[in-house]
């Protein structure tokens, strides 16, 4: 499936929040997006992939204060850590930026002013909880108290983790500020609202246009049918973010400028890249494609507020928004006490990044289901598929070619039908990748790996090698084995970029998608080196243990900071 018409695609992942580390739950999304992006590039499409740190909000302001540094220092430190983790997991961003940027300020102000000029901004006074000690308004999550339903203490202001009840902070028994411990008071403030109900017809059409998965469209239909509410887009000082033009001590709510960060990151890339035009991708009549990969928990922002704001400011709306579920570990929510709340950096100190890339790919589909990282299955599947099946084909064939045939493959293809059967799977596998059915793609690729191993087992080149006059047969069998291995690596290239690069060096081949139709003949290879080693259970245990120790250290630090 080599394209005759090259598509022009812009892809984003949701922006990680800049007040903490990336964990493996986050990595599910970046790996899913990266596999799709790498596939598009692999088959010859133009595909740009941008992201940024989400760097605004009260939580960042408070964390910086707690650490005794400025918010700017905090977000710079966190961004450096995030970029390192993404790089180590081979996430191929063209640009990783920050929402605290001049481009983002410019676009946020532009979109706000466009909405305001068209009458889509309202202003009214609301009453909110206020911390008299810290002198700031409190979001629900910064208020704690006793649950009004089950009387469990130390619950957040909007829901109880013990009984699952939802309520307003005013219903809490003995409410207190989670920041200072002070008793909140009620205080009036004028806020600005984006008039989302103005866009009801547009959103009803857009959410049913095929731009969303059906489960997500159905969920948004519930909100649309019950009547859209105006969206509060302002926050009072003190707040770390962009000031709203024409307003005093009012800042854009973090969720207004976060998705605009996609545009800002791409604009920053365009300004540094000759021939890349921002307007070509973002004008309302653009023929390019725009895809957002996100978690299911932020669909209201991307499925309602975002397209409405873009439409109001006369930019294009997304081609599609793809939501995924959450990551569980061993069937349960990631847990700090069990050590299954695993940071990306912790994982990388113990395990190869491509183990996780492969396992996620093997289990991902295009639905919104949660994905379980079963650690026992993880070890077994990686060892069985990557080491036992794929690498095994190369290791069984390469030694004979190097030792007996001076590293040269046969001058002709001895099994054309077999190699044609492998090549003919390219359309099905490409379709699975395109549709984000990565699990189906991996299943099809592993079925081919089984065939390749069966072929070598049946032909027994190690037996033939001891027989007089069988040299050509041995060379042909091993050359066929290595051609099958090469095709498997071409298919796996979006999932396993590091392993593929090493395989490309070994095979002296670029492993391009078009190469599926042209087997290697009379071709020299390098000496084989192991491409992937088995995971040991002890590595998993050490990783979980380190996660527990890290959590304990963080808790101790929090208590020390008060």
């Amino acid at each position: 499936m080599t394209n005759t018409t090259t598509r022009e695609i812009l892809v984003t992942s949701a922006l990680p929040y800049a007040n903490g580390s990336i964990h493996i739950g986050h990595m599910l999304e970046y790996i899913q997006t990266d596999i799709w992006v790498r596939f598009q590039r692999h088959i010859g499409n133009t595909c740009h992939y941008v992201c940024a740190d989400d760097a605004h909000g009260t939580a960042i302001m408070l964390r910086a204060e707690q650490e005794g540094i400025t918010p700017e220092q905090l977000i710079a430190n966190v961004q450096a850590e995030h970029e390192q983790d993404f790089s180590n997991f081979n996430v191929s961003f063209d640009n990783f930026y920050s929402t605290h940027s001049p481009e983002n300020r410019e676009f946020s102000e532009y979109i706000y002013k466009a909405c305001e000029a068209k009458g889509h901004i309202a202003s009214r006074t609301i009453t909110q909880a206020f911390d008299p000690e810290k002198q700031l308004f409190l979001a629900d999550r910064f208020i704690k108290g006793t649950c009004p339903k089950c009387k469990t203490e130390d619950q957040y202001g909007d829901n109880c983790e013990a009984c699952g009840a939802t309520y307003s902070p005013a219903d809490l028994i003995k409410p207190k500020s989670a920041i200072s411990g002070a008793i909140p008071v009620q205080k009036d403030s004028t806020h600005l609202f984006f008039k989302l109900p103005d866009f009801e017809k547009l959103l009803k059409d857009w959410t049913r246009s095929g731009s969303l998965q059906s489960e997500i469209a159905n969920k948004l239909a519930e909100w649309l049918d019950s009547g859209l509410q105006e969206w509060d887009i302002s926050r009072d000082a003190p707040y770390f973010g962009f000031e709203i033009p024409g307003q005093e001590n009012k800042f854009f709510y973090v969720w207004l400028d976060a998705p605009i960060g996609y545009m800002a990151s791409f604009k920053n890339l365009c300004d540094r890249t000759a021939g890349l035009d921002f307007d070509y991708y973002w004008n309302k009549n653009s023929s390019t494609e725009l895809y957002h990969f996100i978690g299911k928990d932020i669909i209201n922002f991307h499925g309602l507020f975002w397209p409405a704001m873009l439409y109001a400011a006369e930019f294009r709306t997304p081609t599609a928004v793809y939501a995924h579920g959450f990551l569980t570990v061993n069937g349960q929510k990631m847990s700090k006490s069990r050590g299954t709340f695993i940071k990306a950096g912790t994982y990388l100190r113990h395990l190869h990044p491509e183990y996780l890339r492969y396992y996620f790919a093997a289990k991902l589909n295009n639905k919104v289901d949660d994905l379980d990282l079963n650690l026992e299955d993880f070890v077994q599947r990686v060892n069985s598929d990557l080491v036992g099946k794929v690498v095994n084909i190369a290791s069984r064939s390469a030694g004979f070619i190097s030792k007996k045939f001076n590293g040269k493959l046969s001058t002709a293809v001895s099994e054309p039908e077999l190699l044609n059967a492998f090549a003919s799977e390219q359309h099905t596998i490409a379709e699975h990748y395109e549709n984000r059915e990565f699990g189906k793609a991996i299943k099809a690729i592993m079925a081919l790996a089984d065939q390749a191993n069966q072929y070598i087992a049946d032909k027994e080149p190690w037996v033939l090698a001891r027989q007089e006059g069988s040299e050509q047969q041995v060379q042909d069998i091993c050359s066929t084995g290595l051609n099958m291995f090469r095709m498997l690596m071409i298919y796996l290239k979006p999932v396993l970029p590091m392993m593929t690069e090493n395989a490309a060096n070994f095979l002296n081949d670029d492993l391009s998608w078009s190469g599926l139709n042209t087997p290697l003949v009379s071709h020299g290879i390098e000496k084989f080196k192991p491409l992937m080693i088995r995971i040991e259970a002890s590595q998993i245990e050490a990783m979980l243990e380190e996660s527990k120790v890290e959590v304990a250290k963080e808790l101790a630090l929090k208590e020390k900071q008060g």
Side-chain angles (χ1 to χ4, degrees):
M1 186 185 141
T2 306
N3 280 355
T4 45
T5 313
T6 300
R7 291 158 61 192
E8 295 170 300
I9 306 169
L10 175 58
V11 178
T12 74
S13 297
L15 312 186
Y17 201 44
N19 75 335
S21 300
I22 300 292
H23 56 66
I24 58 168
H26 294 129
M27 284 312 308
L28 174 65
E29 178 172 309
Y30 302 101
I31 288 171
Q32 180 190 32
T33 318
D34 186 65
I35 291 170
W36 197 79
V37 165
R38 284 179 181 274
F39 165 70
Q40 297 299 341
R41 293 171 182 157
H42 194 22
I43 61 168
N45 288 324
T46 299
C47 190
H48 306 287
Y49 179 20
V50 300
C51 195
D53 265 342
D54 181 3
H56 288 154
T58 307
I60 282 172
M61 180 180 77
L62 294 171
R63 166 89 184 259
E65 193 181 295
Q66 198 180 36
E67 293 191 14
I69 57 176
T70 64
E72 287 83 0
Q73 280 175 298
L74 173 69
I75 62 178
N77 296 347
V78 171
Q79 183 163 349
E81 183 193 321
H82 286 183
E83 289 194 37
Q84 187 63 60
D85 287 340
F86 289 136
S87 169
N88 288 340
F89 269 102
N90 283 293
V91 178
S92 59
F93 297 125
D94 291 294
N95 197 32
F96 188 83
Y97 204 40
S98 170
T99 58
H100 193 63
S101 67
E103 295 93 339
N104 204 34
R105 183 190 292 274
E106 194 181 310
F107 282 121
S108 297
E109 290 183 359
Y110 178 88
I111 289 173
Y112 168 76
K113 284 174 180 172
C115 293
E116 187 182 40
K118 291 179 180 174
H120 299 308
I121 303 293
S123 169
R124 64 174 180 274
T125 300
I126 62 169
T127 305
Q128 281 178 293
F130 184 78
D131 184 328
E133 204 171 294
K134 288 291 285 184
Q135 287 292 296
L136 57 78
F137 285 95
L138 295 167
D140 294 352
R141 70 182 179 282
F142 292 122
I143 304 169
K144 283 191 157 184
T146 300
C147 171
K149 302 281 194 316
C150 73
K151 308 297 185 282
T152 302
E153 294 178 1
D154 205 33
Q155 295 305 304
Y156 286 104
D158 52 359
N159 72 295
C160 175
E161 288 187 342
C163 73
T166 55
Y167 40 74
S168 81
D171 300 327
L172 276 177
I173 301 163
K174 295 183 187 166
K176 62 178 183 181
S177 163
I179 301 162
S180 69
I183 296 167
V185 297
Q186 296 298 302
K187 191 174 175 181
D188 288 351
S189 175
T190 303
H191 274 234
L192 298 165
F193 292 81
F194 177 60
K195 292 158 79 173
L196 193 62
D198 292 357
F199 301 91
E200 190 176 322
K201 164 108 182 50
L202 163 89
L203 291 170
K204 278 189 171 170
D205 292 345
W206 186 78
T207 55
R208 291 296 184 192
S209 67
S211 294
L212 302 168
Q213 294 127 297
S214 57
E215 311 101 293
I216 295 299
N218 293 339
K219 182 68 195 163
L220 293 182
E222 291 173 25
W223 283 323
L224 284 159
D225 292 345
S226 62
L228 295 171
Q229 304 297 308
E230 292 185 345
W231 180 39
D232 189 344
I233 58 165
S234 64
R235 293 296 182 267
D236 292 280
Y239 193 81
F240 183 61
F242 295 139
E243 281 197 79
I244 300 177
Q247 301 287 326
E248 208 175 315
N249 288 331
K250 299 282 177 193
F251 292 79
F252 286 126
Y253 172 42
V254 59
W255 263 110
L256 179 124
D257 69 64
I260 296 170
Y262 301 141
M263 302 172 85
S265 184
F266 187 61
K267 180 69 166 73
N268 179 261
L269 178 66
C270 290
D271 290 347
R272 296 184 287 106
T273 310
L276 192 57
D277 179 28
F278 177 87
D279 293 331
Y280 179 67
Y281 277 82
W282 283 95
N283 80 76
K284 64 179 181 181
N285 300 313
S286 178
S287 61
T288 64
E289 300 169 48
L290 170 64
Y291 299 97
H292 300 307
F293 284 74
I294 61 163
K296 63 182 178 182
D297 54 330
I298 54 173
I299 190 59
N300 54 336
F301 296 107
H302 287 80
L304 298 175
F305 308 140
W306 180 228
M309 285 195 304
L310 287 168
Y311 182 81
E314 298 192 28
F315 287 110
R316 57 96 42 82
T317 50
T319 310
V321 175
Y322 296 138
H324 59 82
F326 299 138
L327 181 71
T328 56
V329 180
N330 293 337
Q332 294 175 297
K333 196 176 168 182
M334 284 169 47
S335 155
K336 291 186 174 180
S337 62
R338 285 191 294 271
T340 57
F341 191 91
I342 303 160
K343 289 182 181 179
T346 310
Y347 172 96
L348 289 161
R349 281 191 287 279
H350 297 274
L351 295 163
H352 196 290
E354 297 204 333
Y355 296 155
L356 195 65
R357 286 182 67 103
Y358 179 75
Y359 190 76
F360 282 169
K363 297 195 80 171
L364 270 163
N365 57 32
N366 59 14
K367 304 285 190 295
V368 195
D369 310 329
D370 291 348
L371 186 150
D372 186 49
L373 168 58
N374 178 297
L375 292 170
E376 206 174 292
D377 178 52
F378 169 69
V379 173
Q380 192 274 329
R381 192 180 291 221
V382 169
N383 289 346
S384 161
D385 287 5
L386 295 185
V387 184
K389 292 182 183 179
V390 179
V391 175
N392 191 45
I393 299 161
S395 64
R396 287 166 107 185
S397 308
F400 293 113
I401 298 290
S402 292
K403 284 178 210 146
K404 290 183 169 287
F405 308 103
N406 207 19
K408 265 277 172 72
L409 301 184
S410 297
T411 54
V413 172
S414 62
E415 301 278 1
E417 283 182 17
L418 182 58
L419 295 189
N420 285 342
F422 267 56
S424 68
E425 283 294 298
Q426 63 187 278
H427 308 288
T428 303
I429 291 168
E431 204 173 293
H432 291 326
Y433 274 128
E434 176 66 45
N435 296 331
R436 308 177 324 286
E437 289 282 9
F438 300 159
K440 287 182 180 175
I442 295 296
K443 195 175 177 189
I445 296 163
M446 285 306 133
L448 294 177
D450 286 337
Q451 280 184 49
N453 278 300
Q454 191 60 54
Y455 168 80
I456 295 166
D458 291 346
K459 297 289 183 183
E460 298 182 317
W462 48 89
V463 174
L464 289 170
R466 294 194 295 269
Q467 295 172 11
E468 199 77 26
S470 300
E471 287 83 358
Q472 190 58 57
Q473 262 184 291
V474 171
Q475 189 182 19
D476 287 348
I477 293 162
C478 294
S479 296
T480 299
L482 287 174
N483 267 300
M484 290 189 287
F485 169 74
R486 170 178 172 260
M487 292 160 93
L488 293 173
M489 291 317 302
I490 292 171
Y491 288 138
L492 287 167
K493 197 173 183 178
V495 180
L496 305 169
M498 288 167 81
M499 184 174 164
T500 313
E501 195 179 327
N502 292 333
N505 293 336
F506 153 61
L507 292 168
N508 284 321
D509 184 69
D510 63 2
L511 300 179
S512 65
W513 191 266
S514 57
L516 289 164
N517 303 313
T518 317
L520 301 179
V521 289
S522 299
H523 180 88
I525 62 164
E526 303 301 319
K527 201 163 186 308
F528 178 77
K529 292 175 194 158
L531 295 165
M532 187 70 81
I533 55 169
R534 295 171 61 82
I535 311 177
E536 300 299 333
S538 58
Q539 291 169 271
I540 302 286
E541 286 155 25
M543 176 180 70
L544 298 179
E545 205 45 53
E546 190 187 324
S547 289
K548 286 183 197 169
V549 170
E550 281 190 349
V551 168
K553 275 186 194 162
E554 278 174 22
L555 286 173
L557 188 65
K558 269 186 189 169
E559 282 166 21
K560 195 176 166 189
Q561 288 169 337

